[in-house]
Amino acid sequence: MSSVAVPVLAPPRRAWLTDLPVLLVAVVWGSSYLAAKGITTTQTVIAVLVLRFAVVLPVLVIAGWSRLRALTAAQWRGAGLLGLVLSGIFLVETYGLVHTSATNAGLIISLTMIFTPLAEAAVTRSRPTGAFLAAAGLSVAGVVLLTQGGGFTSPSAGDLLMLVAALARTLHVLLMARIKSVRSADSLSLTTVQLGSAVAVFALLTAAPGTGESPWSVAAGFGAREWGGLLFLSVFCTLFAFFVQMWSVRRTSPSRVSLLLGTEPLWAAAVGIAIGGERLGVLGVAGAVLVLAGTAWGRRSADPATP
């Protein structure tokens, strides 16, 4: 970031006016798993990713053109590296989503909130608190139960891929914090370069044999429902979500924003069950409760200032 702005906290009576858009981001992100699952198959993963980000990328470029031109060569390299990691996250996450439920996907990916402080502690050679380790264990136990909704069987390939995606998200967060050149980069420009790098990776993969259908053939085969799902992912889950985060962190505390966004897995489960007709079973419900409790406890243990 180019500077650290001190947020001007809203009066309590109007705090909900700031909280509501952030909570809406958590809702749309939670809904994104079911939306992506509804328009994606194993053969169309890469094509859908190209279409999803290609729709919003021109808007970001136009909106931030002057700031993009101001980036240094080191900032371009740093943002490009982050974009490569981001492309891996979306690839693993989307392939995982195809092979598991939207509910499982949203809950398993929430483990990023546990993995990130653990990884940061390993890098800085600091020891996590006992409470945090207990919370991490609770979350992992929850994931084990969550993936056993039909009995004690091996987790699905999709569940394992979502676990890898959570680890990849952790790597992305750590790199953002440790690559010096991107710390001073404008947020909009950084996001634009990352998404552009990711789209370039996806576009190259579509040219490789055996990677599924082309974006053009997939787009031609989309009906109104599929286009509606794609635009929801592009406009609301990407463009709208990004600008709300930029807007909210300048008007409230980062911990408050994080707390509201932390409800994403809850919305993923709610949407998957209510709209997608998914069922967790007794073990799955117990696992979901443990994941939510573990991640909430872990966040508070890692950052006591979190409300």
Side-chain angles (χ1 to χ4, degrees), residues 2-209:
S2 57
S3 63
V4 179
V6 177
V8 179
L9 300 181
R13 291 182 305 172
R14 298 183 179 179
W16 67 272
L17 293 174
T18 302
D19 291 348
L20 188 61
V22 180
L23 188 61
L24 186 56
V25 170
V27 174
V28 298
W29 275 354
S31 306
S32 69
Y33 299 101
L34 186 63
K37 191 174 179 65
I39 65 173
T40 312
T41 67
T42 304
Q43 293 300 310
T44 63
V45 166
I46 299 175
V48 168
L49 287 172
V50 170
L51 294 171
R52 173 180 175 176
F53 294 110
V55 167
V56 298
L57 191 57
V59 178
L60 292 175
V61 170
I62 293 171
W65 178 247
S66 61
R67 283 170 284 183
L68 274 174
R69 294 178 62 187
L71 290 178
T72 66
Q75 289 172 335
W76 275 95
R77 288 193 297 270
L81 174 60
L82 289 172
L84 293 178
V85 177
L86 189 66
S87 68
I89 292 172
F90 278 106
L91 283 170
V92 175
E93 195 173 283
T94 310
Y95 274 114
L97 183 59
V98 170
H99 297 290
T100 190
S101 67
T103 302
N104 277 23
L107 289 165
I108 293 173
I109 206 69
S110 70
L111 288 178
T112 302
M113 288 187 284
I114 295 293
F115 291 158
T116 301
L118 285 175
E120 188 175 16
V123 171
T124 59
R125 300 179 184 274
S126 59
R127 182 178 177 82
T129 64
F132 182 82
L133 292 175
L138 191 68
S139 297
V140 173
V143 168
V144 172
L145 288 178
L146 177 67
T147 58
Q148 312 306 311
F152 283 97
T153 58
S154 299
S156 70
D159 295 329
L160 295 176
L161 285 172
M162 294 308 300
L163 192 61
V164 173
L167 291 169
R169 281 194 183 192
T170 297
L171 174 62
H172 187 259
V173 172
L174 290 181
L175 287 175
M176 285 191 70
R178 298 185 73 83
I179 298 177
K180 294 181 180 180
S181 62
V182 301
R183 293 179 189 173
S184 59
D186 171 71
S187 298
L188 177 61
S189 302
L190 182 63
T191 299
T192 303
V193 176
Q194 286 187 80
L195 291 183
S197 300
V199 170
V201 171
F202 302 147
L204 288 173
L205 288 175
T206 60

Side-chain angles (χ1 to χ4, degrees), residues 236-305:
F236 289 97
C237 301
T238 304
L239 195 59
F240 167 76
F242 169 74
F243 280 111
V244 165
Q245 287 183 89
M246 290 276 292
W247 172 82
S248 63
V249 295
R250 289 164 170 77
R251 287 163 175 81
T252 186
S253 66
S255 61
R256 191 177 185 91
V257 173
S258 179
L259 180 66
L260 292 167
L261 293 179
T263 63
E264 175 190 344
L266 181 62
W267 296 111
V271 171
I273 294 170
I275 300 177
E278 298 175 354
R279 296 292 180 267
L280 287 177
V282 175
L283 290 177
V285 170
V289 170
L290 290 182
V291 169
L292 293 171
T295 52
W297 184 17
R299 287 179 61 253
R300 285 166 173 77
S301 300
D303 182 8

